[in-house]
Amino acid sequence: AQSVTQLDSQVPVFEEAPVELRCNYSSSVSVYLFWYVQYPNQGLQLLLKYLSGSTLVKGINGFEAEFNKSQTSFHLRKPSVHISDTAEYFCAVSDVDGGFKTIFGAGTRLFVKA
Amino acid sequence: SQTIHQWPATLVQPVGSPLSLECTVEGTSNPNLYWYRQAAGRGLQLLFYSVGIGQISSEVPQNLSASRPQDRQFILSSKKLLLSDSGFYLCAWWSALNTGELFFGEGSRLTVL
């Protein structure tokens, strides 16, 4: 079974500063990794995903994440945040075999201050 | 293009009353369908998933049930709501034609009083 740990429940940051949201996972099988963003009272939308290949993946809105297999991590980064990035961010993992059940972390609330 | 619809968007129900949340997907065939619940500070909990009509897998024992009467319709139900059923319910779909990610509806916020 897979599990996902998001190490920070809240991350306050000033506008135009860099940010890193941390995510660790555990799994006994190969996995796909995802970051989703959720704005208030809305569903989730995909930011980026890692399926295979290059360990550095780029997503929408200037976000990127790096897959580190040895450390079982998939941290999300952005070099310069905007007020509009204020949202909740979820790291998720799904197995690459049948079922495609996606397991989510508890979420990290990113709060960008002016 | 594919779309997913959930309704109602919000509802307030008394304890002990029944519940029916509906989710429909358009623009795809034979998707996997999922119900998640989001409680404050607890992330998303997978409640049910379905790989086809009439096929339901339950992830956690609870007061809720799910049904899939048609290929692109997924219903979440309860006969008698509990206070602990309050939360934000999200429907999602996945297809083998995609590359792994889920597509979510806008969610249904349930408050049980």
Side-chain angles (χ1 to χ4, degrees):
Chain A
Q2 297 92 24
S3 67
V4 179
T5 302
Q6 291 185 241
L7 299 165
D8 307 290
S9 59
Q10 296 185 65
V11 174
V13 63
F14 285 103
E15 192 174 19
E16 298 183 7
V19 70
E20 178 180 82
L21 306 184
R22 298 179 293 167
C23 172
N24 287 98
Y25 71 93
S26 67
S27 176
S28 58
V29 299
S30 297
V31 295
Y32 295 154
L33 294 160
F34 309 86
W35 277 98
Y36 290 83
V37 61
Q38 183 184 34
Y39 299 102
N41 293 312
Q42 294 185 22
L44 279 70
Q45 56 183 281
L46 182 71
L47 267 182
L48 49 79
K49 60 189 176 188
Y50 172 79
L51 305 180
S52 65
S54 173
T55 58
L56 182 64
V57 293
K58 295 186 183 297
I60 62 172
N61 300 339
F63 284 93
E64 64 181 32
E66 187 156 17
F67 170 57
N68 187 318
K69 188 174 183 179
S70 62
Q71 297 185 9
T72 60
S73 67
F74 191 55
H75 301 333
L76 180 71
R77 302 185 182 98
K78 186 170 182 177
S80 175
V81 295
H82 303 290
I83 297 287
S84 59
D85 292 323
T86 294
E88 186 132 23
Y89 293 80
F90 292 93
C91 182
V93 60
S94 70
D95 58 72
V96 303
D97 299 320
F100 285 92
K101 291 186 295 181
T102 303
I103 305 300
F104 288 81
T108 297
R109 173 83 176 152
L110 175 63
F111 179 59
V112 181
K113 301 177 286 185
Chain B
S1 64
Q2 301 92 354
T3 57
I4 178 169
H5 303 284
Q6 267 186 259
W7 69 92
T10 60
L11 67 164
V12 179
Q13 296 285 97
V15 169
S17 64
L19 170 73
S20 180
L21 300 179
E22 190 162 343
C23 171
T24 59
V25 180
E26 296 176 359
T28 187
S29 296
N30 197 31
N32 284 9
L33 295 173
Y34 305 82
W35 278 111
Y36 285 87
R37 176 168 59 199
Q38 184 177 17
R42 296 181 60 184
L44 275 71
Q45 180 185 31
L46 179 60
L47 301 176
F48 301 95
Y49 71 97
S50 171
V51 300
I53 295 174
Q55 300 178 63
I56 308 295
S57 296
S58 175
E59 289 296 295
V60 292
Q62 59 205 318
N63 185 42
L64 302 168
S65 62
S67 61
R68 185 169 177 175
Q70 300 180 45
D71 181 46
R72 289 170 288 178
Q73 185 184 27
F74 205 25
I75 298 171
L76 183 69
S77 303
S78 173
K79 292 182 179 178
K80 290 185 178 182
L81 285 168
L82 306 172
L83 287 174
S84 58
D85 292 324
S86 293
F88 193 50
Y89 289 83
L90 289 159
C91 180
W93 70 272
W94 174 89
S95 168
L97 299 177
N98 298 333
T99 50
E101 68 262 37
L102 293 169
F103 295 89
F104 284 86
E106 290 299 307
S108 297
R109 184 164 300 283
L110 170 66
T111 303
V112 182
L113 301 175

